[in-house]
């Protein structure tokens, strides 16, 4: 039940459902804050805010840097474009209509627009230069993951196990693909990724799926995990992490599943290793960096799957997906700390408290620094000062 709690504590209804299924309680103890002698401290260049942030809700509202702007959004519907140099407001809109906006998946920039999904089953397209809402499209299920953009389609993976392609200009639905959704799943969905005319995404029933973008034809589904155990919780095998593509190889990981390297051309597995995770991975080209369901930070050789190092000192601190900033691996935690690691050794190199409201998503790299957003909607542009 380990990492389940990091996925569902932010959703009371889901948590109650899981607790009822387990029939027992398991103590999840957050590791104490490690003592780190920081090699550098952050220097703040500017700060801003957006609405009330995302609060304690599950959210993938990651800022986007594109078109010489920084785009940010809050769950309650406020969307802003900021000048990345000084943080000044370029435009601001509120997309809420007759019901709460509940923005949750995004932000993705493409085709001169930005795209955001919501728990209301809606995808919004906003003009990047003005913030004007170009279109709204309804899909079946919540949109918890950022969309993918390719071939002038906006590809959406919904909580109902339906992959939908929308016309990027109009929002018109072009095709759909349905996959099986078990009666109990983790809260969260895999962000689709595209390459060479194909789209790849993880499914709640423990598979990695592939389809042809142009016509929405399912090519194959590859098992990442097989349900095992006596209870429904034991049998959870969601593949919620986004697939990661490096050259001709695709990497995927599942909860109660495996970390796998897959040949993109054939769809065959190259190697498999026993890791369980629900968060996106990141790579520096030769290494994969991942967060396990126990919040262990792990580095794996991308060619062989050999574990290079594992840092277990942040266990159950509810970590964000890892990012690579200024050559370091960095994660945020639920208490508002950023933790920085040496990519080669996994040793801590720095630690900073940004804000006690904590992080839902990790930092975003900019050309001359990095951007952090806290759960209460604070936005800061920082640089490393050694």
């Amino acid at each position: 039940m380990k990492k389940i709690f990091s996925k569902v504590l932010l959703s009371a209804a889901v948590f109650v459902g899981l607790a009822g299924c387990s029939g027992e309680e398991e103590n999840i103890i957050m590791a104490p804050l490690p003592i780190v002698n920081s090699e550098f401290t952050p220097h703040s260049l500017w700060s801003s805010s957006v609405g009330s942030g995302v609060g304690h809700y599950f959210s993938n509202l990651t800022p986007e840097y594109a078109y010489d702007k920084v785009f940010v959004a809050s769950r309650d519907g406020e969307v802003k474009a900021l000048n990345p140099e000084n943080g000044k407001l370029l435009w601001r809109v509120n997309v809420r209509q007759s019901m709460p906006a509940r923005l949750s998946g995004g932000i993705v920039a493409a085709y001169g627009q930005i795209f955001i999904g919501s728990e209301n089953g809606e995808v919004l397209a906003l003009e990047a230069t003005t913030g004007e809402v170009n279109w709204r499209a309804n899909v079946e299920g919540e949109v918890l993951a950022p969309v993918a953009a390719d071939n002038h389609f906006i590809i959406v993976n919904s909580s109902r196990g339906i992959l939908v392609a929308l016309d990027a200009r109009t929002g018109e639905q072009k095709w759909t693909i349905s996959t099986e959704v078990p009666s109990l799943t983790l809260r969260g969905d895999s962000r689709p990724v595209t390459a060479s005319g194909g789209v790849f995404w993880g499914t709640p029933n423990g598979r990695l799926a592939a389809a042809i973008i142009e016509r929405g034809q399912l090519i194959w589904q590859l098992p990442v995990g097989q349900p095992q155990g006596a209870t429904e919780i034991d049998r959870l095998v969601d593949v919620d992490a986004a697939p990661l593509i490096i050259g001709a190889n695709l990497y995927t990981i599942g909860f109660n599943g495996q970390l796998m390297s897959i040949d993109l051309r054939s769809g065959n597995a190259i190697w498999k290793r026993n890791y369980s995770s629900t968060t996106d991975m990141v790579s520096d080209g030769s290494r994969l960096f991942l967060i396990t369901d126990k919040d262990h930070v792990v580095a794996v050789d991308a060619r062989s799957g050999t574990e290079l190092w594992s840092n277990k000192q942040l266990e159950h601190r509810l970590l964000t997906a890892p990012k690579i900033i200024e050559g370091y691996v960095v994660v945020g935690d639920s208490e508002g700390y950023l933790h920085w690691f040496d990519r080669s050794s996994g040793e801590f190199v720095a630690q900073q408290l940004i804000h006690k409201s904590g992080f839902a998503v990790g930092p975003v790299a900019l050309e001359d620094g990095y951007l952090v957003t806290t759960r209460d909607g604070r936005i800061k542009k920082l640089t490393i000062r050694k």
Side-chain angles (χ1 to χ4, degrees):
M1 287 185 51
K2 307 295 185 185
K3 187 70 171 182
I4 290 177
F5 284 87
S6 73
K7 296 282 283 186
V8 303
L9 273 176
L10 310 181
S11 175
V14 179
F15 174 72
V16 170
L18 288 175
C21 292
S22 68
E24 62 182 22
E25 293 184 2
E26 181 176 340
N27 292 323
I28 305 296
I29 301 175
M30 180 183 291
L33 186 70
I35 298 174
V36 176
N37 293 320
S38 294
E39 297 179 9
F40 55 80
T41 57
H43 173 61
S44 179
L45 297 179
W46 54 258
S47 62
S48 185
S49 64
V50 58
S52 300
V54 299
H56 292 290
Y57 292 93
F58 177 86
S59 179
N60 276 313
L61 274 179
T62 302
E64 178 79 317
Y65 172 54
Y67 311 126
D68 296 321
K69 299 176 180 65
V70 168
F71 301 99
V72 292
S74 65
R75 188 175 185 271
D76 56 17
E78 185 172 72
V79 186
K80 288 182 176 182
L82 305 175
N83 185 318
E85 297 299 321
N86 52 30
K88 289 185 177 180
L89 181 68
L90 301 176
W91 55 253
R92 172 174 53 198
V93 298
N94 197 308
V95 299
R96 175 175 177 166
Q97 292 186 312
S98 59
M99 63 186 299
R102 303 202 302 165
L103 301 183
S104 54
I107 304 168
V108 174
Y111 311 122
Q113 302 175 93
I114 62 169
F115 303 91
I116 309 174
S118 83
E119 296 172 27
N120 299 329
E122 190 175 46
V123 180
L124 297 93
L126 281 67
E127 189 69 32
T129 55
T130 64
E132 178 183 359
V133 177
N134 289 336
W135 53 259
R136 296 172 181 259
N138 292 315
V139 299
E140 188 176 345
E142 297 176 303
V143 183
L144 303 175
V147 303
D150 201 338
N151 202 39
H152 296 284
F153 290 151
I154 300 304
I155 304 173
V156 186
N157 185 20
S158 83
S159 63
R160 298 283 181 87
I162 301 174
L163 194 75
V164 182
L166 305 173
D167 186 286
R169 294 171 298 175
T170 66
E172 178 188 359
Q173 184 174 298
K174 293 299 185 180
W175 52 254
T176 65
I177 299 173
S178 296
T179 55
E180 179 187 359
V181 178
S183 58
L184 184 68
T185 68
L186 297 177
R187 184 152 183 76
D189 294 298
S190 169
R191 174 175 57 85
V193 300
T194 62
S196 303
V199 57
F200 307 87
W201 73 103
T203 71
N205 64 353
R207 295 175 178 269
L208 178 76
I212 298 173
I213 294 176
E214 186 176 356
R215 56 183 181 271
Q217 178 184 351
L218 188 65
I219 306 172
W220 46 257
Q221 295 188 64
L222 187 68
V224 179
Q226 294 288 348
Q228 298 178 9
T231 70
E232 286 187 86
I233 290 179
D234 291 333
R235 295 173 63 81
L236 289 169
V237 289
D238 300 56
V239 181
D240 285 347
L244 178 63
I245 296 175
I246 306 174
N249 293 347
L250 180 148
Y251 301 88
T252 186
I253 192 168
F255 181 78
N256 285 336
Q258 294 176 309
L259 170 65
M260 299 176 62
S261 173
I262 300 165
D263 185 283
L264 271 178
R265 291 162 292 191
S266 66
N268 295 326
I270 300 171
W271 53 255
K272 303 178 182 179
R273 299 293 181 266
N274 289 325
Y275 292 100
S276 174
S277 178
T278 58
T279 56
D280 293 352
M281 299 176 285
V282 70
S283 175
D284 62 2
S286 62
R287 291 167 287 205
L288 308 176
F289 303 97
L290 60 99
I291 308 296
T292 72
D293 57 2
K294 296 181 179 180
D295 284 325
H296 299 170
V297 185
V298 178
V300 173
D301 184 272
R303 295 185 63 182
S304 66
T306 302
E307 183 174 297
L308 302 174
W309 54 259
S310 176
N311 189 311
K312 303 178 181 180
Q313 297 183 65
L314 301 177
E315 188 165 281
H316 301 310
R317 292 189 64 86
L318 306 185
L319 303 181
T320 67
K323 299 293 184 73
I324 296 179
I325 304 288
E326 298 285 343
Y328 301 102
V329 175
V330 58
V331 299
D333 72 16
S334 60
E335 293 189 331
Y337 286 89
L338 288 182
H339 305 275
W340 303 74
F341 303 87
D342 182 279
R343 285 185 297 163
S344 298
S345 67
E347 297 295 326
F348 288 105
V349 293
Q351 175 192 98
Q352 301 103 26
L353 174 62
I354 303 300
H355 192 265
K356 62 182 180 181
S357 64
F359 294 104
V361 295
V364 173
L366 302 177
E367 293 178 354
D368 55 350
Y370 57 98
L371 197 74
V372 296
T373 54
T374 61
R375 284 192 171 274
D376 68 349
R378 297 167 193 263
I379 306 160
K380 293 179 180 290
K381 180 181 178 180
L382 305 167
T383 60
I384 289 177
R385 174 177 288 176
K386 297 185 180 181

